[in-house]
Amino acid sequence: MTVDYSLYLVTDSTMIPSSSTFLKQVEEAVNNGVTLVQLREKELSTLDFIDRAKEVHKLTKAKNIPLIINDRVDIALAVDAEGVHVGQDDMPATLVRKLLGPNKIVGVTCSNPEEVKQVVREGVADYVGLGTTFATNTKKDVKTPGGVGPIGIRKQMYELQSTGIQCVAIGGINHSNANRVIQQCQVGDTRLDGIAVVSCIMASEDAAEATRTLRSELEYTPDWATTKSFDAKVPVHSIVKNMSDSHPLVHHITNNVVKNFSANVTLAIGASPIMSELPEEFEEFASGIPNIGLVINLGTPNTELMRVFSKGLTTYNRYSKPVVFDPVACGASRARLESCRKLLNQGFVTVIKGNVGEILSIWKLTPFYQEVEDGESHMRGVDSISNAGEAEIKEKGYQVATTFGCVVVITGELNFILGSDKRSAVVRGGSSLMGSITGTGCSLGSTIAAFLAAEKAGSIVGGDVFKSTEAAVTLYNRAGGIAGLESQYPGSFMINFLDKLSQVSHDPEQNIQ
Ligand code: 3NM
């Protein structure tokens, strides 16, 4: 039996609005785009459960939608439902399969990779419900009440690769995050087959409209997820000229140490800086300014700033505007890496830029990291020290890029640019003096954001984040290289660097080969 898991309604009779009834909510859902229904009744007597199952089955059969019964094999058999869903503490899936036979649907709830591995080993389930995606009030006894986010769901999906077991995400999914969950929960070729919701439909005053909106969210492909065409022959100096001609705006939510320098770098390359941590104005910026990009820099974090980052990220995502994420010193403490996890669970970033240590720390958030591994990256303050070789650094960088669907820039003596489509570039140049002043790493983030923002406004590279990022890193290191040759000490280097950034970006054809 081919089952469409794309929009899976799990029922709950305790949250029906007073203007409706349980059956009306289910009927509106099945008539407006739900593809699978699970009857989940925790309080009903067996007799009432059977009656309810019969009524719901009538509705689902009319639409050729499978009915799954939660937990109760006996009820499923009694009404000849299409399947049974069990949790970790219910009847084991192997027994359920034995009782139901080979032709019914069997689903299992999982909350971590270990439980998924167990389901794969048993080999009897058709699908798994992966959770808890986001915090939910609907189910009280979940194992991860705060939600594991797309990062945690991906870790579970990693275990499903090439198994043929279908998967849906559940927990706290609604109109505002359904599309993102579908887009972000992907590991290699393994994608989510659907989402499962309870309150978003069952508690809705208009279940029909709630279902239609969810459907359209599932079917919509956001701007950033579409494959862009690009002209590989466009020279870097043309991309630089395109950027400075566009006078992009770079909105910084950055650290206290580098605000001044980042603003000066942004001006030097022909863009304009905005330094704002006032969430009330983010919407106006992101919606009203075509050539704007956001830098989120983790350098001097605090609890309030985390909320500001989050608001910035979700607002810029809403208007498909680029976001450059600089996870400064994210390996320095567990709390900092947790902050990155939270942020990356809340939205998309266009580019992640960091040194080797930072990118290797972010890599720990990918499904490729197994918890037993340790010690491959050591942070000291905000500098990076790593024993990883070039091949390993690049491979892990790719894994970060594919996990988060972004371009990754790894800075160092050699600068690697890695795309989720496996494109890679190496940019040389720069100067050892770049490491002797604060803000050279952070201001590269500003420079990349300026290029992406210019691209957004209409660009000769056709929306190619990879090419634009490569051009930004090239300009930056070219200016650093020339300034380094003309300077002996950090102070004069800083001045020369700003001058050379200005010179190279105003006359890129002369200065970049
Ligand atoms: N299972 P809502 S969360 C039934 O994490 C269920 O396994 C979960 O409800 C799990 O869509 C959940 O209203 C309830 O957040 C999800």
Side-chain angles (χ1 to χ4, degrees):
M1 179 186 347
T2 315
V3 180
D4 179 352
Y5 289 91
S6 59
L7 184 50
Y8 188 170
L9 172 69
V10 180
T11 68
D12 187 323
S13 48
T14 65
M15 53 172 73
I16 311 301
S18 55
S19 56
S20 187
T21 63
F22 175 84
L23 280 181
K24 185 160 174 263
Q25 297 296 90
V26 176
E27 185 172 16
E28 296 203 332
V30 299
N31 285 343
N32 285 280
V34 151
T35 58
L36 198 63
V37 173
Q38 181 188 133
L39 185 58
R40 185 170 176 272
E41 290 293 350
K42 296 290 178 192
E43 309 292 335
L44 290 185
S45 69
T46 299
L47 203 56
D48 290 342
F49 202 158
I50 289 176
D51 285 345
R52 176 145 289 180
K54 280 183 182 161
E55 289 171 325
V56 173
H57 208 193
K58 211 184 282 170
L59 294 174
T60 56
K61 274 200 284 199
K63 287 280 171 186
N64 255 330
I65 292 173
L67 172 66
I68 310 291
I69 305 292
N70 181 280
D71 190 9
R72 298 282 300 267
V73 177
D74 55 341
I75 307 270
L77 290 169
V79 303
D80 195 25
E82 282 70 35
V84 166
H85 183 96
V86 283
Q88 292 291 324
D89 301 327
D90 299 335
M91 182 185 286
T94 44
L95 277 180
V96 175
R97 174 60 77 204
K98 228 182 229 171
L99 293 168
L100 288 184
N103 299 324
K104 297 286 184 186
I105 303 166
V106 174
V108 179
T109 293
C110 294
S111 305
N112 55 53
E114 284 310 311
E115 291 174 359
V116 178
K117 274 188 202 166
Q118 176 65 21
V119 170
V120 172
R121 268 197 299 272
E122 287 172 358
V124 297
D126 296 287
Y127 78 92
V128 280
L130 306 176
T132 300
T133 314
F134 303 114
T136 175
N137 289 324
T138 302
K139 189 178 177 186
K140 300 291 176 217
D141 58 347
V142 295
K143 287 184 182 147
T144 47
V148 295
I151 290 176
I153 299 295
R154 278 195 295 259
K155 291 212 172 201
Q156 295 177 39
M157 289 172 70
Y158 187 77
E159 307 300 335
L160 288 173
Q161 292 178 101
S162 316
T163 62
I165 298 173
Q166 313 282 296
C167 56
V168 296
I170 187 163
I173 299 177
N174 56 44
H175 306 128
S176 73
N177 56 28
N179 185 271
R180 186 159 70 76
V181 168
I182 289 288
Q183 302 293 342
Q184 287 194 313
C185 295
Q186 201 185 139
V187 179
D189 295 333
T190 305
R191 303 194 63 139
L192 275 185
D193 297 287
I195 52 161
V197 299
V198 183
S199 55
C200 183
I201 291 177
M202 294 309 290
S204 172
E205 294 286 342
D206 187 344
E209 181 59 20
T211 310
R212 284 194 297 268
T213 313
L214 275 173
R215 269 248 71 88
S216 63
E217 282 298 323
L218 294 181
E219 279 148 22
Y220 155 77
T221 308
D223 187 38
W224 64 269
T226 49
T227 310
K228 307 282 170 41
S229 62
F230 71 99
D231 183 350
K233 292 192 206 73
V234 176
V236 167
H237 62 75
S238 306
I239 305 171
V240 174
K241 182 160 185 339
N242 182 73
M243 183 279 297
S244 56
D245 285 352
S246 148
H247 301 303
L249 270 86
V250 181
H251 175 180
H252 294 74
I253 310 175
T254 192
N255 73 72
N256 298 330
V257 182
V258 303
K259 279 180 178 155
N260 175 256
F261 191 66
S262 298
N264 284 335
V265 165
T266 308
L267 286 170
I269 63 171
S272 296
I274 303 173
M275 315 314 252
S276 170
E277 291 164 21
L278 182 68
E280 290 75 13
E281 62 183 4
F282 293 178
E283 178 98 16
E284 224 173 304
F285 290 166
S287 67
I289 303 171
N291 52 348
I292 193 165
L294 175 67
V295 172
I296 292 179
N297 178 303
L298 200 71
T300 48
N302 62 56
T303 310
E304 180 52 33
L305 201 57
M306 287 310 301
R307 274 194 283 273
V308 179
F309 287 154
S310 159
K311 179 74 181 165
L313 180 65
T314 50
T315 308
Y316 277 70
N317 279 176
R318 195 169 327 121
Y319 296 99
S320 287
K321 295 289 163 62
V323 179
V324 175
F325 180 45
D326 191 342
V328 181
C330 59
S333 70
R334 262 192 215 126
R336 229 179 246 240
L337 194 58
E338 268 318 296
S339 301
C340 292
R341 186 199 301 276
K342 272 194 199 137
L343 201 63
L344 291 168
N345 265 334
Q346 283 166 354
F348 316 106
V349 294
T350 325
V351 170
I352 300 179
K353 178 209 79 71
N355 59 31
V356 173
E358 288 157 357
I359 298 299
L360 292 185
S361 294
I362 293 290
W363 175 79
K364 290 185 176 176
L365 303 177
T366 72
F368 303 96
Y369 172 64
Q370 304 290 315
E371 304 290 333
V372 284
E373 282 186 41
D374 198 19
E376 78 292 342
S377 167
H378 309 275
M379 300 294 297
R380 174 167 59 81
V382 291
D383 309 328
S384 72
I385 316 166
S386 172
N387 301 323
E390 187 179 319
E392 184 188 344
I393 292 168
K394 275 180 72 172
E395 185 52 30
K396 289 182 172 168
Y398 274 131
Q399 290 174 341
V400 172
T402 51
T403 296
F404 297 106
C406 64
V407 167
V408 167
V409 176
I410 309 178
T411 57
E413 230 163 276
L414 296 178
N415 299 279
F416 296 105
I417 299 147
L418 307 163
S420 53
D421 53 4
K422 279 260 164 181
R423 269 189 284 169
S424 79
V426 179
V427 175
R428 291 161 208 276
S431 158
S432 56
L433 282 168
M434 288 169 95
S436 67
I437 58 171
T438 52
T440 45
C442 300
S443 308
L444 174 59
S446 317
T447 306
I448 295 169
F451 276 75
L452 302 182
E455 174 188 272
K456 216 51 220 166
S459 161
I460 48 171
V461 283
D464 187 327
V465 170
F466 185 90
K467 281 288 279 182
S468 290
T469 304
E470 183 187 0
V473 179
T474 305
L475 159 71
Y476 204 74
N477 283 282
R478 180 76 189 129
I482 309 172
L485 292 176
E486 294 181 9
S487 325
Q488 229 181 327
Y489 295 107
S492 54
F493 173 76
M494 190 166 85
I495 306 294
N496 281 332
F497 184 43
L498 287 174
D499 287 350
K500 297 307 165 194
L501 276 170
S502 180
Q503 186 185 334
V504 175
S505 39
H506 285 95
D507 195 0
E509 201 162 355
Q510 280 302 311
N511 289 290
I512 298 175
Q513 283 71 47

